[in-house]
Amino acid sequence: MQPEKDISQLSEAEAREELAQLAEVLAQANAAYHTHDAPEMSDADYDRLKRRNTALEAAFPALKRSDSPSDKVGAPVASGFSKIDHVVPMLSLGNAFSDEDVTDFDGRIRSFLGLAADAPLKFTAEPKIDGLSLSLRYEGGKLMQAATRGDGATGENVTANALTMADIPQTLTNAPDVLEVRGEVYMAHSDFDALNVAQEAKGDKTFANPRNAAAGSLRQLDASITKSRPLRFFAYAWGDVSAPLSDTQMGAIERLAELGFVTNELTKLCDGPTEMIAHYRYIEAQRASLGYDIDGVVYKVNELDLQSRLGFRSTTPRWAIAHKFPAELAWTTLEAIDIQVGRTGALSPVARLKPVTVGGVVVSNATLHNEDYIQGFDSKGVEIRGGKDIREGDWVQVYRAGDVIPKVADVDLSKRAADAKPYVFPTTCPECGSDAVREEGDAVRRCTGGMICPAQAIEKLKHFVSRKAFDIEGLGAKQVEMFFDDPDLPVRTPADIFKLEARDAGNLTKLKNRKGWGDQSAANLFAAINEKRKIGFGRALFALGIRHVGEAASNLIANHYGDWDSFEAAVTAAADFEGTEWEDLLAMDGIGDVMARSLVTAFAQDKERAVIDDLVSQLSIQSAEKPKSDGSPVAGKTVVFTGKLEKMTRDEAKARAERLGAKVAGSVSKKTDLLVAGPGAGSKAKKAADLGVETIDEDGWLAMIEGL
Ligand code: IVH
């Protein structure tokens, strides 16, 4: 192919000719890669040609071809990394937004551990780096593996790329035999600016911000590209270790620095919230001159044995929190208000904005929450924004906090056009025309169309295939939309996904012969779908998208019931919201009345149940893995705590029991196996005695779990 010409210098005819060539060359490269597993072109060249194609299409939109390479499914770039399971999950952090949230954090920890308000409790405070996290596994002092965070449980293998980074030592001396070092990959401002200048000069894609540039540079299939990019790394945590690094957080960070890692010099040991907040202000004042992006300050309990007693909630540690910097603001015109219909039927108003840059990111859509938010009054008549309503054409303030969806925060009435009309929120669904109603106490208006509403059906399907649900490679939101209206291969319910291959076999025109598909990409899609027939209980339940039943609750339920059949039998039996099964569901810690009703209702409604049963018949749902419970006498048992505990708080006792594989319930029933009763135990102890449930005191409990 000819050397690349500056796109702005191309005539239409030249662009058309080049797009034709690119379509041919890239199609051939795709075939070589997928069909023969023998790429003829390096990933870097492939990426470059693909980018060139995209840039040409952007400059000459009318010339985009019907067989455009940008519409091809199954391109090699997205799927090129192998997967690595994290031995210790890579978690995220809870957030604090105010000084009060920080004192509350300290208070929660004291209450969990049963520490008096004046007992010493130290924390480290350090910048929260705005990059992407990376886990480096060293064995025998040698860097063996580098993995991105991925979904926290499984990441991408980017070892070859990590080996090119100057901040990452390839060998360590005097390190534990197994050591996983975790930290943040980021790009400094100066390096980012220079990279974008160079990219632009080459006619290559520029990056919106340093975080995107760092992510794009690390996740390159061709490690020589990563090597050419100025990536840096701060170490701030660890995963699997064969011997502890220290007995404090600060000590461990110092040890990482001794081992040759770059650690952040603004990391400080603080005596409590007052010092933590002071250090937060100090870091905030330095923010603009640090030379790299940070989005807050992370506080961590310093004593590692306290960290381990505190443990984790489902996705975040109890012993750490991120104190975020305030959000960024900008003003722009609200061009229109659109209504989107979500998977539970919620009508969500979306602001279409004149694009505006907010903290380095171009924002053209923002949420308006619900009809009350637009009106400026909630259902109780309480003012929002001082009672100012929002209208199309208004001059509005847009607010963005980190990766939170931007929202419209305020409106400037002095700039409102005299003829601006109040916004009238629809009372019918814009997608299916069904009534949209607001139930008592619900801030949200919902479409009553249920399964007949295409918007709800599509959103449910998108949720079903999303990363935390079925996560089917090559079947994302875009493909779901495509198949939804497909006359030959319609995907209207989750089960349809698993029937695609069989349906295709019966069709005259096969998927592989369609535009944009080939032998390999069609086979890949079917293989990816089949791979997910075997699925974990928690994931399968979460994927159903039942209102109020989120990821954490789904896993809780999976652990409680163990296998799908028992669960299904129990929720079916609970259909009248009474009886043993209903009480058993409600007794679960973390499952409230609203969630339990929503769950039971989903299984009790004929149409919804048919959709679920149809899906389940296509799957092999794996029973929930019991939490690590080797030798635990309480594994699988239902335990209730009552009365006053003296050696640990109720929260800690509960967390400990759960870690040992027990189910902790809030009330005593026939299903209770063990009651741990401290002084002052009342009705629960009596009920346990009546039911013949084994009852022990706190010392008995501690003796039972000692050493585990
Ligand atoms: S500690 C178990 N420290 O923030 C907690 N995280 O929102 C492990 N991050 O995924 C994380 N700077 O990518 C920690 N100094 C810091 C951090 C930091 C940035 C990122 C990290 C994590 C995310 C959580």
Side-chain angles (χ1 to χ4, degrees), residues 90-95 126-133 149 183-184 236-237 295 298 300 312 317 319-320 322:
M90 290 182 79
L91 299 163
S92 52
L93 292 168
N95 290 324
E126 70 200 65
K128 181 167 191 297
I129 316 297
D130 195 6
L132 66 154
S133 47
R149 173 159 179 263
E184 202 85 350
Y236 53 64
D295 54 356
V298 183
K300 299 170 186 166
F312 302 88
W319 45 265

Side-chain angles (χ1 to χ4, degrees), residues 12 48 56 69 270 286 363 410 439 498 523 529 595 687:
E12 260 210 3
R48 187 175 53 75
L56 280 165
C270 300
Q286 316 269 316
V363 171
D410 202 2
E439 278 172 22
F498 295 94
I529 292 172
M595 193 199 294
K687 187 159 182 198

Side-chain angles (χ1 to χ4, degrees), residues 53-267:
N53 186 71
T54 311
L56 280 165
E57 287 175 351
F60 299 94
L63 298 184
K64 184 171 169 185
R65 299 168 58 92
S66 56
D67 63 344
S68 161
S70 32
D71 296 336
K72 288 277 191 295
V73 187
V77 263
S79 56
F81 296 102
S82 61
K83 301 272 185 277
I84 290 183
D85 289 334
H86 299 298
V87 179
V88 176
M90 290 182 79
L91 299 163
S92 52
L93 292 168
N95 290 324
F97 296 101
S98 64
D99 294 358
E100 195 190 347
D101 289 347
V102 179
T103 27
D104 287 352
F105 168 64
D106 174 76
R108 270 200 307 280
I109 289 177
R110 288 178 186 276
S111 124
F112 186 98
L113 295 171
L115 286 180
D118 57 356
L121 178 62
K122 289 189 202 279
F123 295 85
T124 57
E126 70 200 65
K128 181 167 191 297
I129 316 297
D130 195 6
L132 66 154
S133 47
L134 184 68
S135 184
L136 305 167
R137 186 177 177 92
Y138 292 85
E139 288 173 14
K142 201 163 164 269
L143 178 58
M144 303 301 281
Q145 239 176 22
T148 62
R149 173 159 179 263
D151 64 3
T154 307
E156 283 176 328
N157 184 344
V158 291
T159 312
N161 311 52
L163 284 166
T164 70
M165 288 175 53
D167 283 353
I168 295 181
Q170 301 194 2
T171 53
L172 304 176
T173 34
N174 292 328
D177 187 41
V178 173
L179 171 62
E180 277 180 15
V181 176
R182 293 180 174 175
E184 202 85 350
V185 174
Y186 68 102
M187 201 177 275
H189 292 153
S190 55
D191 291 333
F192 167 73
D193 292 340
L195 174 64
N196 265 353
V197 169
Q199 290 287 103
E200 198 151 1
K202 283 192 287 180
D204 279 346
K205 171 184 139 177
T206 56
F207 296 98
N209 54 49
R211 210 203 82 83
N212 285 359
S217 302
L218 182 67
R219 295 181 69 259
Q220 284 287 339
L221 288 177
D222 178 350
S224 72
I225 300 188
T226 307
K227 191 180 165 106
S228 74
R229 302 278 173 84
L231 290 175
R232 305 184 191 215
F233 180 79
F234 276 127
Y236 53 64
W238 56 93
D240 197 15
V241 281
S242 55
L245 290 171
S246 166
D247 50 11
T248 61
Q249 178 73 30
M250 202 64 188
I253 297 304
E254 281 160 6
R255 180 88 198 281
L256 289 176
E258 282 162 21
L259 287 169
F261 291 93
V262 185
T263 56
N264 196 292
E265 58 181 21
L266 290 169
T267 309

Side-chain angles (χ1 to χ4, degrees), residues 340-360:
Q340 283 178 352
V341 183
R343 76 182 144 89
T344 57
L347 267 51
S348 307
V350 178
R352 305 293 177 202
L353 304 165
K354 186 158 186 287
V356 61
T357 305
V358 193

Side-chain angles (χ1 to χ4, degrees), residues 360-410:
V361 174
V362 179
V363 171
S364 49
N365 301 309
T367 176
L368 286 160
H369 303 287
N370 53 48
E371 60 186 298
D372 290 347
Y373 193 79
I374 298 178
Q375 246 175 41
F377 289 94
D378 76 8
S379 55
K380 298 195 190 81
V382 179
E383 289 183 352
I384 301 169
R385 288 181 306 278
K388 294 183 280 184
D389 74 330
I390 295 174
R391 304 183 183 184
E392 291 181 330
D394 271 347
W395 184 245
V396 293
Q397 186 191 54
V398 185
Y399 161 109
R400 198 181 73 90
D403 39 18
V404 177
I405 303 169
K407 60 184 181 196
V408 172
D410 202 2

